[in-house]
Amino acid sequence: MSEISRRGILDVNAGAICELLDVKPPMVNYYFESFDALLAEAAAQCYENWLEWTQRAIEKKASTPSQRLRNFFDSEVERAIFYGPVIVFSAYPTLSEQVRNVLINKFKKRMEAIFEYHICVLASIFHDMKLGQVTPIEFDVDSRPFKSYQLTRTKEMLAAGSAMWSISGLNLWATDSHVGTGSLLKTGGKIARNAAIEMHINRVISSFEGDFAK
C-alpha cells in the first residue's frame, strides 16, 4: 500500500516490493496467484482499514450528533492523509482491468458490506439529529440494518449518500495526489489547507443540521 502511494499504480512492481521485503519475486505468485491479485488485496485492505478508522471515530466521545458527524469527517481526512494516493486507487481501481476483475470476483461482497455499514452509520447520526440525542451505534458490518433503514429511515439514508459524496472529493484531494492543486499547497501551506478543510466540513454539517436538527 505504501509503495502504491509512493510510486503510483503504474510504476509499482513485484520486483521492487520483494526487494524491500527480501523475498524472491516468485513468492508473489505463490501466495497471491499474480501481481494483479496482490494489488487487489491492497485495495481490499484499504476498505478494511476504512472500517477500523470509522469505528474508532464513532466511538469517540461526542456530546451531540453534529460532533459525532464531525468525528466521522475528520477521520476520513486523517485516513486519507495517513495512507496517501492508495486511497484513490482503492476507491477507483479502474486503472487496471485485471485488478478490478479480481476485486469483483473475490472481494465485492465484503467491500459492499463495508460501504453499506458506513451509510448506516451516517443514517444513524442523522436520525439522532432529528431526536436531539446521541445514541449508541450497536450494529457492526455484519449486522448492518441497511435494508430495514431503506424502509424506515429513507430520508436519512438519502442524506447519508449525500454526505459520502460531500466527503469523498475532500478525502481524495487530501491524499495530495491532485497535481493541479499542488501550487496551492505551496502558496498557502498546511495552515491554509487545514482552514479550508474545516470550512468545508463546517458547511456540510451546517447543511445537514438544517435538514434534521431540532
Side-chain angles (χ1 to χ4, degrees):
M1 290 167 62
S2 63
E3 283 298 282
I4 292 173
S5 288
R6 186 177 73 88
R7 303 187 64 182
I9 186 60
L10 296 180
D11 287 341
V12 69
N13 60 76
I17 292 175
C18 289
E19 185 176 351
L20 285 172
L21 299 174
D22 195 25
V23 297
K24 296 185 182 299
M27 298 300 283
V28 172
N29 292 342
Y30 179 79
Y31 283 106
F32 299 98
E33 296 184 358
S34 69
F35 184 59
D36 286 332
L38 173 57
L39 293 176
E41 293 272 356
Q45 184 59 45
C46 284
Y47 266 68
E48 299 295 339
N49 294 346
W50 182 27
L51 178 62
E52 294 174 6
W53 280 65
T54 296
Q55 289 173 332
R56 287 197 298 268
I58 62 176
E59 288 171 0
K60 288 183 179 179
K61 185 176 181 180
S63 57
T64 65
S66 294
Q67 181 59 58
R68 177 176 269 179
L69 183 59
R70 182 179 300 280
N71 290 344
F72 178 93
F73 285 157
D74 286 346
S75 174
E76 288 288 279
V77 175
E78 290 166 5
R79 180 176 63 92
I81 293 172
F82 183 85
Y83 288 108
V86 69
I87 298 295
V88 181
F89 174 64
S90 68
Y92 303 103
T94 53
L95 283 175
S96 170
E97 181 181 7
Q98 293 302 316
V99 172
R100 186 173 183 274
N101 288 340
V102 174
L103 283 171
I104 291 173
N105 293 330
K106 190 174 181 179
F107 300 107
K108 184 175 184 285
K109 288 185 178 180
R110 176 64 177 179
M111 293 170 74
E112 286 179 344
I114 292 172
F115 184 82
E116 290 176 0
Y117 167 83
H118 282 80
I119 293 293
C120 291
V121 165
L122 287 167
S124 297
I125 294 173
F126 294 139
H127 190 69
D128 276 356
M129 281 186 176
K130 290 172 63 174
L131 302 176
Q133 62 188 36
V134 178
T135 57
I137 296 177
E138 297 179 333
F139 58 83
D140 59 21
V141 68
D142 295 317
S143 62
R144 64 196 185 282
F146 186 77
K147 291 183 178 179
S148 64
Y149 274 17
Q150 287 180 310
L151 298 175
T152 62
R153 300 184 181 182
T154 305
K155 182 178 179 181
E156 291 92 330
M157 291 289 276
L158 292 173
S162 178
M164 291 298 294
W165 290 334
S166 297
I167 199 64
S168 177
L170 175 58
N171 67 10
L172 295 184
W173 179 75
T175 63
D176 283 348
S177 57
H178 192 279
V179 176
T181 58
S183 61
L184 296 178
L185 298 182
K186 292 179 181 178
T187 302
K190 290 185 178 180
I191 295 176
R193 180 181 71 169
N194 292 342
I197 289 174
E198 183 176 2
M199 183 182 297
H200 176 73
I201 291 175
N202 287 342
R203 187 178 293 114
V204 173
I205 292 175
S206 178
S207 174
F208 288 119
E209 287 174 338
D211 290 338
F212 291 104
K214 283 187 173 182

